[in-house]
Amino acid sequence: MTRIDDTFARLRAEGKKAFVAYIMAGDPDLETSLAVMRGLPAAGVDIIELGMPFTDPMADGLTIQLAGQRALDGGQTLQKTLDMVAEFRKGDATTPVVMMGYYNPIYSRGVDRFLADAKAAGIDGLIVVDLPPEEDVELCIPAQAAGINFIRLATPTTDNKRLPKVMQNTSGFVYYVSITGITGAAAAEAADVGPEVARIKAATDLPVIVGFGITTPEAAERIAGVADGCVVGSAIVKLVGEGRPVAEVLARVAELAAGAHRA
């Protein structure tokens, strides 16, 4: 059982849906992003998704691309991201942290070294968007052996033939991408998402969390209502990019979390 498994068990017992918040590590600087991260649990965030800045974020829209560039310009590295999680863990031993990003920085570090360091820092899960199931031996299987959940993305184009392959080594939860395209590109619609979530849940016992295109508390409520929870990223990252004070960012996160928890 990981912190992710424990969190979903608790939420089920409470009859609540999960609210997942994405932030970019090191955006606009390490100090600010750590302050935001530390404030997320009290704002109602059940799981923190921490972006690893990368030079070629192919799945991300402009808002998150710019966040990653700001972080890189500010000197953020994979090591600093691991250190950030370790620092967060000094004050929070229970909130799950999922690192989301791309394989290149992990490969460059070395998978075995990365997994040992990630586990020691207190990371619970990985979402690596450019590693398909055919490459499970690269990172997915070693991660699970190290006690770190490997969370897979399913999309509107993941058909019934492909779905079992996507599910085969997934753990923690399934991340359903609600739209075809990049982050922040369009609004998620519950009427479209609901049947897709049901289709995925027929293929797995794992919780299904929906992300991409959720920008308001009302949307969070609607989408969480047809899934096991929702992810908000670009709407939070945008506030950071605008230079809003940490307290203002966290106040908006609390509004979004309240929407998801009403579902």
Side-chain angles (χ1 to χ4, degrees):
M1 292 283 285
T2 65
R3 291 185 186 94
I4 295 171
D5 300 324
D6 290 343
T7 294
F8 280 110
R10 173 181 59 79
L11 290 169
R12 277 194 299 272
E14 295 172 357
K16 291 173 66 177
K17 301 301 180 73
F19 181 71
V20 184
Y22 172 99
I23 62 169
M24 178 65 72
D27 177 33
D29 53 63
L30 186 56
E31 182 181 359
T32 303
S33 62
L34 181 56
V36 172
M37 186 180 185
R38 282 174 166 154
L40 292 176
V45 173
D46 300 301
I47 298 172
I48 296 170
E49 230 177 81
L50 187 63
M52 297 183 283
F54 181 54
T55 52
D56 189 23
M58 61 186 181
D60 294 310
L62 185 61
T63 297
I64 292 178
Q65 285 182 31
L66 290 173
Q69 195 58 56
R70 287 192 299 269
L72 292 170
D73 289 347
Q76 189 72 8
T77 62
L78 180 53
Q79 182 59 53
K80 288 182 178 179
T81 302
L82 292 167
D83 292 344
M84 180 177 167
V85 177
E87 195 64 31
F88 172 79
R89 282 283 172 237
K90 291 178 182 178
D92 188 313
T94 57
T95 304
V97 176
V98 175
M99 287 183 69
M100 184 172 186
Y102 300 85
Y103 185 45
N104 185 278
I106 296 170
Y107 176 80
S108 297
R109 190 179 185 88
V111 167
D112 291 345
R113 180 186 171 201
F114 169 77
L115 290 174
D117 293 345
K119 186 69 175 176
I123 289 164
D124 305 288
L126 297 172
I127 300 174
V128 182
V129 300
D130 55 348
L131 269 184
E134 286 75 14
E135 306 297 336
D136 274 358
V137 70
E138 286 280 331
L139 180 62
C140 173
I141 292 169
Q144 311 234 61
I148 296 174
N149 289 133
F150 198 88
I151 295 148
R152 192 86 66 191
L153 302 178
T155 75
T157 60
T158 306
D159 61 22
N160 288 332
K161 182 179 179 182
R162 177 68 173 167
L163 191 59
K165 185 75 171 176
V166 171
M167 295 296 107
Q168 67 181 3
N169 289 314
T170 301
S171 65
F173 61 90
V174 179
Y175 187 134
Y176 178 66
V177 177
S178 65
I179 58 174
T180 304
I182 54 177
T183 58
E189 297 294 341
D192 299 326
V193 169
E196 290 297 295
V197 169
R199 184 170 68 91
I200 295 166
K201 288 180 78 67
T204 180
D205 293 331
L206 294 171
V208 179
I209 305 298
V210 178
F212 286 44
I214 302 166
T215 59
T216 66
E218 294 75 22
E221 181 177 1
R222 289 193 298 271
I223 296 299
V226 297
D228 295 301
C230 67
V231 184
V232 177
S234 294
I236 299 168
V237 172
K238 183 173 182 287
L239 296 176
V240 175
E242 291 170 353
R244 304 293 183 91
V246 171
E248 185 178 335
V249 174
L250 293 173
R252 183 57 175 168
V253 171
E255 292 173 358
L256 291 158
H261 290 150
R262 282 194 299 270

